Amino acid sequence: MKASAVWLLGVVLVPFWALAQAPANLNTITGVQVNGGTVTITGSKKANFTTFTMTDPPRLVIDIAEAVFSGVPEETQVGNGTVTGIRTASYGSDDSAIARVLIGFEREVETDIQATDTQLVVKVVGGGGQAVAQAPQAPTTQPEPAAAQPTTDGTAAKAAAAAETERQAQEKAAAEATARAEADRQAQEKAAAEASARAKQDADAERQRQQEAEARATSQREDEQRAAKAAAVERKRQEEEARASAQAAADERKRQEEEARASAQAAADERRASSESAAEEKKRQKEEARAAAKAAAEEKQAAAKAAADEAVEARRQREEEARAERERRQQERVASATPRPRREVASGSDSSAEVSSRRKTMTLVGFQQQPGVSRVFIRTNEPARYTVSEQGNAVVLELENSRIDLNNNTHPLDTSFFNSPVTRVEADANGRDVRVTIQLRQQAPVQARQDGNVISLDFQRTAR
């Protein structure tokens, strides 16, 4: 019972001790050799170990911290008279691993443990070594006297029977020791599994508790932040209301003061007016008369200046119209000298609107599909004079004395994907005029007209 308690305490407490360590690397155990009463444990570094003993049967347990096994069997049967066998087991995770070596003995012994750089040497103190050396000779020395010196008193037979009985007893004890060792190993594994499960359960519970605490703290912080934000909003609202009330009170005081000043001024004016003499009244009337005369003179002067400005503007407009007419005639002469064929289709302006001499602005070029016709329309800021002519598979519209307001209106319109004789529309500046070129798939009838500020060119569509 005492041995079981000590074993269970070692199984439970040692893994937890190992879990507290944080090694940089692990000691790799690559061999456990038995030579008589000496057990040599070979690793990759100097062993950091603890030991404890167990009885019934006698055993020595060595726990090597921060260590793992590599190529070492879990159980090795020895039976050399001193060491009955070797068992190995591993506990813990990679970073807190424990390599356990259990050495079983035939009887209670004292051991001496020495650690070198890479080996841990366990020696049996006393006569353990001699027992190891003599144990294998027992089976070979007993039968010889029986064969060489036969007796008649049955002593040899008794000795042989006793030896057989002793051998059977040893085999039975070894089997029982093996069974107990297996039971101990299973109990160790079960205790280790239970301890690991409890540790994992405790860790999960602790982690869940921490998560719940963090969630509560987060919720509390959010509640505090919301409360602080609401308090700040309420404080700001109250401050704004206070400022608004103070401003309203100040405005009311200012209004009352102005009314009081106005009333005082009115009373003073009234008293001053009532105390003025007739001479002062005449003087005031004379001053008013002089002011009226001055105003009439200024009005007459302004009228004369306006008439002069109108005359200058009319003269400027006539000069602008004359210059535009000269430029148009010059362009007509240049156009008539061009060798390419050009047939004028239409020209003119809106008959219901007067075309001024101001320079016009083209504000939009567009395309529409109307019932039976494809329409190209040009919008200006006011009615403008224009001409329409055919040049091969193209129709050209020229706006006189015009310009383009936006560069976007100079971008070509690709209409080739419509069911239309029109494939492309492009506008560009031509001196003081604007030229709109309409490319056609083939020649098609066109009708041009102007409605207010919009000039429309309708091209007859043919069925595909």
Side-chain angles (χ1 to χ4, degrees), residues 144-399:
E144 290 179 0
Q149 301 176 5
T151 60
T152 58
D153 57 359
T155 302
K158 290 179 181 180
E164 180 65 19
T165 301
E166 179 65 19
R167 187 185 63 80
Q168 292 177 358
Q170 290 178 356
E171 291 179 353
K172 182 179 179 181
E176 290 176 352
T178 301
R180 284 194 299 272
E182 180 64 20
D184 290 343
R185 186 181 65 80
Q186 293 177 356
Q188 292 172 12
E189 293 178 351
K190 181 178 179 181
E194 291 176 353
S196 178
R198 284 194 298 272
K200 184 177 183 301
Q201 184 177 2
D202 293 342
D204 293 342
E206 178 63 19
R207 184 166 54 253
Q208 183 176 1
R209 186 189 65 77
Q210 291 178 356
Q211 291 175 353
E212 291 176 354
E214 291 176 357
R216 287 194 298 271
T218 301
S219 177
Q220 184 176 358
R221 284 196 301 273
E222 292 176 351
D223 293 342
E224 292 174 353
Q225 291 174 356
R226 285 193 293 270
K229 185 176 181 181
V233 171
E234 178 63 19
R235 185 166 58 253
K236 183 178 180 181
R237 184 188 64 79
Q238 293 176 356
E239 291 174 354
E240 290 177 351
E241 289 181 353
R243 283 196 296 271
S245 299
Q247 184 65 34
D251 293 343
E252 179 64 19
R253 286 195 302 272
K254 184 177 180 181
R255 184 188 63 80
Q256 292 176 357
E257 291 173 356
E258 290 177 351
E259 288 181 353
R261 283 196 297 271
S263 299
Q265 184 67 31
D269 293 342
E270 184 176 354
R271 287 193 300 271
R272 189 169 50 255
S274 60
S275 63
E276 287 179 350
S277 61
E280 290 175 349
E281 180 64 21
K282 289 181 181 179
K283 182 179 180 181
R284 185 183 62 79
Q285 291 177 357
K286 289 179 180 178
E287 290 175 353
E288 290 179 353
R290 284 197 298 271
K294 183 178 180 181
E298 290 176 351
E299 183 177 354
K300 183 177 180 181
Q301 183 179 0
K305 186 176 183 301
D309 292 341
E310 289 179 358
V312 170
E313 179 63 20
R315 184 167 60 256
R316 188 189 63 77
Q317 289 181 357
R318 286 194 298 272
E319 292 175 352
E320 182 70 21
E321 290 175 354
R323 184 168 58 255
E325 182 65 20
R326 287 194 301 272
E327 291 178 355
R328 185 181 64 79
R329 292 175 180 175
Q330 178 66 22
Q331 291 172 2
E332 289 177 353
R333 286 194 298 271
V334 172
S336 62
T338 304
R340 64 181 181 180
R342 171 177 174 142
R343 182 172 67 85
E344 185 173 300
V345 176
S347 63
S349 62
D350 187 2
S351 59
S352 62
E354 180 181 355
V355 178
S356 69
S357 61
R358 292 185 297 273
R359 193 173 186 188
K360 316 303 184 295
T361 300
M362 188 196 77
T363 59
L364 181 65
V365 177
F367 174 83
Q368 291 178 339
Q369 289 284 72
Q370 300 286 342
V373 297
S374 297
R375 174 171 295 174
V376 177
F377 61 91
I378 297 91
R379 182 176 298 159
T380 57
N381 63 333
E382 59 179 276
R385 291 190 177 88
Y386 67 93
T387 60
V388 180
S389 60
E390 292 183 358
Q391 299 180 11
N393 282 349
V395 173
V396 178
L397 179 142
E398 292 190 3
L399 293 173

Side-chain angles (χ1 to χ4, degrees), residues 93-112:
S93 62
D94 291 342
D95 294 335
S96 59
I98 295 176
R100 172 168 291 180
V101 179
L102 186 147
I103 306 173
F105 296 105
E106 292 286 353
R107 60 188 176 279
E108 297 286 345
V109 297
E110 293 184 3
T111 58
D112 177 43

